[in-house]
Amino acid sequence: MGRLEGKVAIVTGSGRGIGKSIARLFIEEGAAVLINDLDEEAAQLTARELQAAGGKVSVVAGNPDGDVTNESSCLRIVEAAREDLGGLHILVNNAGTTLDRVIHKMDDRAWRFILDVNLKGTFLMTKAVYDYFKRQRYGKIVNMSSMAGLGSNIGQANYATSKSAVISFTKSVAIDLAPYNVCVNVLAPGIIDTRLTRAIPSEKWESVTQAIPMGLGRPEHVARVVLGLCSEDFDYVTGQLIVVSGGLII
Ligand code: NAD
């Protein structure tokens, strides 16, 4: 019997990277998963792979249907999970991106774009499940912050701001929902090997990854922590930040 048997989960941004790994692990543990991504092709590919492995999935993807910055799309994603998969118990707000610029070259568009995807997307998806989880008196929400939300890196004022706000947002929602048996927690991954980090310039890659005491992180490292938080082992843990950085931040 899997640890998520009978559960239905939404994993945003699950077309690739960390989100895809979470979706795969959830399926292995018995959950049905709504695959969401702005990138339709990536989402459909993930869905086909998971279905071939015997998983129950539904997909809401592409632009604008799969865009977590669009409020009506978020409502539709939640509706699709409930209708196609028969309920909803878990939301993983994983969709996120970067658009690095040093501050004097960062225009309003680059600022707003990152705040929209990383922060507003998390807010809108959370709002879309809020009443349902409250009425159900059960739910697990896991938000994706970043090590950059605790400090920052050159050129990441927009990203760091969005990710640090996700931590405060998580704590506020956790306070609201604790009396309803809904757990809301947040992860801060360090450096995980995905398309996002492969954007780090090649001349910096070696020094950045060599500084990680346990070596470069893999998406499964993060996915396993998300699974733990969504399992009954963590039913009494809410409002917490967990750093998943292989010892980079201690
Ligand atoms: P990734 O680029 O591999 O995957 C992110 C996915 O999100 C992509 O498939 C993308 O299409 C999707 N997405 C982007 N905007 C979206 C939108 N508006 N609506 C729906 N989907 C959207 O990145 P990843 O490394 O897997 O990152 C996943 C999460 O983890 C992000 O929130 C990221 O900020 C966070 N994170 C990653 C790292 C890392 O080292 N990779 C470290 C810290 C935090």
Side-chain angles (χ1 to χ4, degrees), residues 55-157:
K56 189 175 173 192
V57 302
S58 180
V59 183
V60 182
N63 193 359
D65 292 357
D67 184 356
V68 297
T69 71
N70 180 316
E71 186 158 23
S72 50
S73 301
C74 293
L75 294 170
R76 172 75 198 108
I77 292 166
V78 171
E79 193 182 288
R82 290 173 55 188
E83 282 177 7
D84 302 349
L85 303 173
L88 185 58
H89 310 91
I90 297 165
L91 166 66
V92 184
N93 282 312
N94 166 78
T97 194
T98 53
L99 187 57
D100 295 358
R101 302 268 188 283
V102 284
I103 193 77
H104 63 281
K105 290 190 179 159
M106 188 178 290
D107 59 14
D108 180 53
R109 195 193 70 85
W111 175 263
R112 250 184 309 137
F113 174 64
I114 294 305
L115 270 288
D116 275 2
V117 177
N118 298 350
L119 181 59
K120 183 178 155 191
T122 298
F123 158 64
L124 290 177
M125 282 302 304
T126 302
K127 201 174 157 205
V129 302
Y130 192 94
D131 285 339
Y132 186 76
F133 279 2
K134 200 169 157 178
R135 271 200 310 278
Q136 180 168 259
R137 292 194 161 260
Y138 184 84
K140 301 269 194 182
I141 302 176
V142 179
N143 295 328
M144 208 56 80
S145 176
S146 164
M147 182 177 78
L150 303 170
S152 190
N153 301 307
I154 291 171
Q156 291 205 314

Side-chain angles (χ1 to χ4, degrees), residues 142-211:
V142 179
N143 295 328
M144 208 56 80
S145 176
S146 164
M147 182 177 78
L150 303 170
S152 190
N153 301 307
I154 291 171
Q156 291 205 314
N158 52 359
Y159 185 72
T161 302
S162 70
K163 291 299 189 181
S164 113
V166 164
I167 298 172
S168 318
F169 176 75
T170 302
K171 293 183 184 213
S172 297
V173 182
I175 291 169
D176 289 355
L177 286 174
Y180 302 95
N181 196 34
V182 177
C183 298
V184 192
N185 292 293
V186 57
L187 297 197
I191 300 170
I192 312 298
D193 194 6
T194 67
R195 186 186 66 160
L196 195 87
T197 39
R198 288 290 171 168
I200 295 172
S202 52
E203 67 276 12
K204 281 195 185 163
W205 180 254
E206 205 142 304
S207 63
V208 166
T209 53
Q210 274 175 356

